Amino acid sequence: MAGRFKRALKTTVLLLCVLLLAAAAVAGWGWNRYQRFADAPAVPAQAEGAADAAAVPASLRIERGDGFAAVLRKLRAAGVQAGHDLEWRLLARQMDAAGRLKVGEYALEPGMSPRTLLQRMRDGRVIHYRVTLVEGWNFRQLRAALAAANPLEHETGELDDAALMAALGHPGQHPEGRFLPETYLYQRGDSDLDVLRRAHAAMEQALAQAWDARAADVPLKSPEEALVLASIVEKETGQAHERPQIAGVFARRLRKGMLLQTDPTVIYGLGSAYDGNIRKRDLTTDTPYNTYTRAGLPPTPIAMPGRAALQAAVNPAAGDALYFVARNDGSHIFSATYAEHDAAVDCYQRRRNCRAGHAADASAADPEARR
């Protein structure tokens, strides 16, 4: 009896050992599979077959109200077949991601692992798109750029400028020059109003910073005047190093009560009537923006000035120049007297009567001047 019991006990112990070993083997196999799943490519790579890769869209969107099960269904629908749902749930729990996936659009890059994908969704590393607002653009050009931006939502298409500014919370404000030219990032679902709000706030901040750092003797009464002058400086030169010099000319003219006589304001005042050429009649036809007929600054900015133009407007370069003329290479010749200026105009615009120094500059700026 005792012998039979001992044999039964040995058999039981042996079976338990076998079962434990089998369970350990299964657990080890399961753990290894889980580890391989977590860090192996989940999104088909191009090398795995063009058909599979083409079946996976470039991105996946998590929308408000999506739970983890809904996200898993979207992954499967997108062609991500790696792993069992249980493995995805275990990994999400291990990473503390299951209840923390953030709304947004996420890239499904070939070769991306489940761990990387869940980490991006947990941390909100969404796809960002770019739209660039260019220095010197007017508001019409800005609106055209936003209208062409994709996938930006377009909420302003039916709004005129006044209604648009009201929608931004600035009713009655003229829109020209009120948006800082920079590259702005946005994500799918953002609208043109979102970008405009950020650009408007950025300009207000940049203008305030420039005004706080203004020179003590700058002939400007307010940040608004600084914005107007900066827009003129922005339109007058494409050479960054010339902005303080251009601002210096206008600052001295303002102090002396001279007309600014700057073509970009005349062009802005012409609006759609401008055909690429300024004629004598344009310079003599009075508009609120004609600085040949009206003293002081125009009533509003004429374009979007960048940070450098803002800084130049409030910190103009010292000197005695009251005139400048284009060299036709993007740079300018500065003159202190009208006689000097007239000689520079003769050389660089009329191509005649060049003095030695002007002739050398004109020849370098325009090969035709060498003839």
Side-chain angles (χ1 to χ4, degrees):
M1 193 75 176
R4 202 178 302 128
F5 175 77
K6 287 181 180 180
R7 284 194 299 274
L9 183 59
K10 285 181 181 180
T11 301
T12 302
V13 169
L14 182 60
L15 286 172
L16 285 173
C17 288
V18 170
L19 290 173
L20 287 172
L21 286 173
V26 170
W29 173 84
W31 178 252
N32 286 333
R33 173 187 164 128
Y34 170 73
Q35 289 294 97
R36 288 196 304 272
F37 152 77
D39 296 305
V43 181
Q46 294 291 339
E48 295 178 21
D52 289 338
V56 180
S59 64
L60 177 144
R61 293 184 66 184
I62 298 180
E63 300 180 56
R64 199 170 304 279
D66 282 352
F68 192 75
V71 174
L72 270 178
R73 285 195 297 273
K74 289 184 176 183
L75 280 171
R76 300 307 191 197
V80 177
Q81 301 302 324
H84 190 277
D85 285 4
L86 179 60
E87 291 175 311
W88 282 92
R89 292 180 183 281
L90 287 174
L91 181 60
R93 182 173 298 178
Q94 179 190 359
M95 297 175 62
D96 192 24
R100 298 174 56 194
L101 302 184
K102 293 181 172 59
V103 171
E105 181 186 17
Y106 296 89
L108 292 177
E109 299 170 3
M112 183 181 288
S113 70
R115 189 187 304 278
T116 299
L117 184 54
L118 287 175
Q119 185 178 50
R120 290 189 180 188
M121 293 176 173
R122 181 195 66 191
D123 298 341
R125 292 166 58 187
V126 298
I127 296 174
H128 282 107
Y129 300 88
R130 297 170 180 266
V131 60
T132 298
L133 311 185
V134 178
E135 295 171 346
W137 272 1
N138 59 34
F139 192 57
R140 174 178 50 79
Q141 291 170 305
L142 181 158
R143 293 195 66 171
L146 292 180
N150 185 48
L152 193 66
E153 299 287 335
H154 301 118
E155 298 180 359
T156 65
E158 301 301 319
L159 303 180
D160 62 19
D161 290 354
L164 186 153
M165 294 305 291
L168 291 175
H170 303 283
Q173 186 180 70
H174 195 281
E176 200 66 77
R178 295 291 174 176
F179 304 89
L180 189 68
E182 285 186 348
T183 294
Y184 293 90
L185 300 180
Y186 66 92
Q187 56 182 293
R188 189 181 293 274
D190 287 349
S191 74
D192 46 6
L193 280 175
D194 295 322
V195 174
L196 287 169
R197 286 190 187 95
R198 291 164 54 200
H200 190 282
M203 177 58 86
E204 287 192 330
Q205 182 182 41
L207 179 58
Q209 291 172 345
W211 184 249
D212 288 344
R214 68 190 182 278
D217 62 343
V218 68
L220 301 170
K221 299 173 185 174
S222 67
E224 301 301 311
E225 290 192 354
L227 184 62
V228 174
L229 180 56
S231 73
I232 298 173
V233 171
E234 191 68 77
K235 292 298 290 184
E236 277 287 10
T237 181
Q239 302 283 333
H241 70 276
E242 281 193 347
R243 289 186 181 115
Q245 289 176 276
I246 297 287
V249 169
F250 290 133
R252 284 184 285 278
R253 281 179 164 259
L254 287 171
R255 290 192 192 100
K256 291 176 178 289
M258 296 175 65
L259 295 174
L260 295 186
Q261 295 184 322
T262 170
D263 292 354
T265 63
V266 176
I267 292 170
Y268 187 82
L270 290 173
S272 60
Y274 178 63
D275 62 2
N277 294 304
I278 296 183
R279 299 169 178 81
K280 185 175 181 179
R281 68 173 182 269
D282 298 326
L283 301 180
T284 56
T285 300
D286 184 56
T287 75
Y289 292 89
N290 191 337
T291 51
Y292 285 82
T293 61
R294 297 196 183 193
L297 294 164
T300 73
I302 61 171
M304 294 189 298
R307 295 179 187 274
L310 290 170
Q311 292 297 330
V314 297
N315 289 284
D320 58 1
L322 291 170
Y323 308 89
F324 57 87
V325 63
R327 276 196 181 104
N328 298 310
D329 65 352
S331 65
H332 296 82
I333 287 288
F334 294 84
S335 305
T337 67
Y338 184 76
E340 292 174 350
H341 174 63
D342 196 43
V345 171
D346 256 357
C347 178
Y348 293 100
Q349 298 298 315
R350 303 184 186 113
R351 302 298 180 197
R352 67 190 185 193
N353 301 328
C354 286
R355 298 197 309 266
H358 284 169
D361 284 345
S363 177
D366 185 351
E368 293 298 318
R370 296 192 184 100
R371 296 182 180 179

